[in-house]
Amino acid sequence: MTTVEPVADTRTRLLATALRLFSEHGVEGTSLQMIADELGVTKAAVYYHFKTKSEITEAVAEPGIRELDELVVEAAKHRRHGARVDHLLDGFVDLVVRHRVLVALFSSDPGIDAALAKSRHGVEGFKQALISIVAGEPEPDVTARVTAIVAFTGIAMAGGAPDLAEVDDETLRQELVGVGRRLLGRPRRRVC
Amino acid sequence: MTTVEPVADTRTRLLATALRLFSEHGVEGTSLQMIADELGVTKAAVYYHFKTKSEITEAVAEPGIRELDELVVEAAKHRRHGARVDHLLDGFVDLVVRHRVLVALFSSDPGIDAALAKSRHGVEGFKQALISIVAGEPEPDVTARVTAIVAFTGIAMAGGAPDLAEVDDETLRQELVGVGRRLLGRPRRRVC
DNA sequence: GTCTATAAAATGATAGAC
DNA sequence: GTCTATCATTTTATAGAC
């Protein structure tokens, strides 16, 4: 532990700044100039850290994509349908609360898809996976699909909503899990 | 009746094309060149109909904004809270189903806010209004606010979801009202 | 109402100095 | 690791012919 309180390196600050600007103006609405200005450096400095704008977008999305990926894999392992839904909902809400605007961006910004299209995993696949798990695999009925879409996009967007920015993590987590369970028809949990 | 089957005029086709491209690529991700190409005309022709890109965005959003405005005003007239919520939910779902992608755009695209910021009504005001009506005016509790946000953004996004594009209007309307009532704690309606 | 042509600015991106 | 300078392309937008 040679350095205490290390100032976040430029790459880290860059990604945090990019995420904030993406959530305010959208990916396509955010230029490298805006990111550079916000960081107090020039565009060329930004290009030292990332070869293209698409790389920045991918790097911003990466933690969310990775965690979402793991979550879907883990949730699918449960034998019972109810257990799968519980695991998925708890994990998804946890992800939303920890990343707030990022998961909302997945649900709403076409620029994310465009950037991820070139890399291995698009975001559209996850939406399908989430719906499949809660709505059931073979030809889920319309009600189940609508419910799943409303629940997960609603929860994701709520995490990024400015109106809820001041709500603390633990409270938001409980509220979102509560509303999710009601929607997905999961029984109320005993308060332990 | 001099002309039967009148071909939609350019202005109308332009707005329909713009809405489709906006929903696919976002407002900022859609250039006038893309709109012109899709219409089979030049950019200059597009500029004959609208002075700026912002004007196109406003014109695309206008019907939704106007109807949403009327809905909020009408819903607020009811004496009982339950009646206000019912009116708002029914009207909102109707709007979502008739416009599909447009209301989703309101919920998700920062480019819409940017274009509407200059004109009289931003879209942020509506979100507040919807939440106030269902969550109650004076300092609504967190649970009510979270529920309202999840419900309305979830319903709006579901209307624009490609996964539900093939669902017919009447079915989608029933499903969305159903999920909305469950979320907002409204009693199940008798099937009449 | 649509076209060609063009302007002015911004964008993503690179080369090379420090 | 950041800078200045520059480039090619694209973008929004206008002028004027048909």
Side-chain angles (χ1 to χ4, degrees):
Chain A
M1 209 190 272
T2 52
T3 54
V4 282
E5 282 296 329
V7 167
D9 56 56
T10 303
R11 193 194 142 98
T12 305
R13 288 198 306 131
L14 198 161
L15 291 178
T17 301
L19 175 57
R20 205 186 70 245
L21 291 173
F22 286 173
S23 82
E24 285 170 20
H25 308 107
V27 172
E28 300 272 14
T30 302
S31 70
L32 296 179
Q33 188 68 67
M34 291 165 74
I35 296 174
D37 287 351
E38 203 79 0
L39 275 173
V41 298
T42 63
K43 269 191 297 181
V46 171
Y47 273 106
Y48 170 79
H49 295 279
F50 297 94
K51 270 199 287 290
T52 64
K53 183 183 174 181
S54 190
E55 263 192 28
I56 298 178
T57 310
E58 289 171 49
V60 165
E62 194 275 337
I65 292 290
R66 184 170 34 74
E67 290 186 44
L68 209 46
D69 211 352
E70 291 168 10
L71 175 63
V72 168
V73 170
E74 289 303 314
K77 286 181 181 170
H78 290 277
R79 300 275 306 280
R80 291 175 301 114
H81 178 259
R84 282 199 297 273
V85 173
D86 286 352
H87 190 132
L88 197 64
L89 180 62
D90 289 345
F92 189 77
V93 166
D94 182 61
L95 223 150
V96 165
V97 169
R98 279 186 294 109
H99 291 96
R100 298 274 176 141
V101 293
L102 181 57
V103 188
L105 219 55
F106 290 165
S107 306
S108 66
D109 200 314
I112 294 279
D113 299 73
L116 265 53
K118 303 157 191 171
S119 96
R120 56 205 178 294
H121 28 29
V123 87
E124 203 57 41
F126 283 114
K127 295 177 183 169
Q128 299 285 16
L130 295 189
I131 295 167
S132 288
I133 289 182
V134 309
E137 283 292 348
E139 274 298 307
D141 64 349
V142 179
T143 302
R145 284 163 57 211
V146 170
T147 304
I149 291 174
V150 171
F152 284 105
T153 61
I155 288 171
M157 298 298 283
D163 319 71
L164 299 176
E166 88 286 356
V167 177
D168 69 281
D169 285 7
E170 194 43 41
T171 303
L172 185 60
R173 186 189 320 267
Q174 283 168 16
E175 296 291 349
L176 289 179
V177 168
V179 78
R181 294 185 72 80
R182 219 185 318 153
L183 250 179
L184 298 172
R186 300 299 300 151
R188 233 185 249 95
R189 271 173 176 147
R190 77 222 175 289
V191 187
C192 49
Chain B
M1 205 191 274
T2 51
T3 54
V4 281
E5 282 295 329
V7 167
D9 56 56
T10 303
R11 193 194 142 99
T12 304
R13 286 198 308 132
L14 198 162
L15 291 178
T17 300
L19 175 57
R20 204 186 70 244
L21 291 173
F22 286 174
S23 82
E24 285 171 20
H25 309 106
V27 172
E28 301 272 12
T30 303
S31 70
L32 295 180
Q33 188 68 68
M34 291 165 74
I35 297 174
D37 288 350
E38 203 79 0
L39 275 172
V41 297
T42 63
K43 273 188 296 180
V46 171
Y47 273 108
Y48 169 80
H49 294 279
F50 297 94
K51 270 199 286 290
T52 64
K53 182 183 173 181
S54 190
E55 263 192 28
I56 298 178
T57 310
E58 289 170 49
V60 166
E62 195 273 337
I65 293 290
R66 183 170 34 75
E67 290 186 45
L68 209 46
D69 211 353
E70 291 167 9
L71 174 62
V72 168
V73 169
E74 290 302 314
K77 286 181 180 170
H78 291 276
R79 301 276 306 281
R80 290 175 300 114
H81 177 259
R84 283 199 296 273
V85 173
D86 286 351
H87 190 133
L88 197 64
L89 180 62
D90 289 345
F92 190 78
V93 166
D94 181 62
L95 223 151
V96 164
V97 169
R98 278 186 295 109
H99 291 96
R100 299 274 177 141
V101 292
L102 180 57
V103 187
L105 219 55
F106 290 165
S107 306
S108 65
D109 200 314
I112 294 278
D113 299 74
L116 266 52
K118 301 158 192 172
S119 95
R120 57 204 179 292
H121 27 30
V123 87
E124 204 56 42
F126 283 113
K127 295 177 184 170
Q128 299 285 16
L130 296 189
I131 296 167
S132 288
I133 289 181
V134 308
E137 283 291 348
E139 276 298 307
D141 64 350
V142 179
T143 302
R145 285 163 57 212
V146 170
T147 304
I149 290 174
V150 172
F152 285 106
T153 62
I155 289 171
M157 298 297 284
D163 319 72
L164 299 176
E166 88 285 357
V167 177
D168 70 281
D169 285 7
E170 194 45 39
T171 303
L172 185 60
R173 187 189 320 267
Q174 283 169 15
E175 295 291 348
L176 289 179
V177 168
V179 78
R181 293 185 73 80
R182 218 185 320 152
L183 250 179
L184 299 172
R186 301 297 301 151
R188 233 187 249 93
R189 272 171 175 149
R190 77 219 174 291
V191 186
C192 49

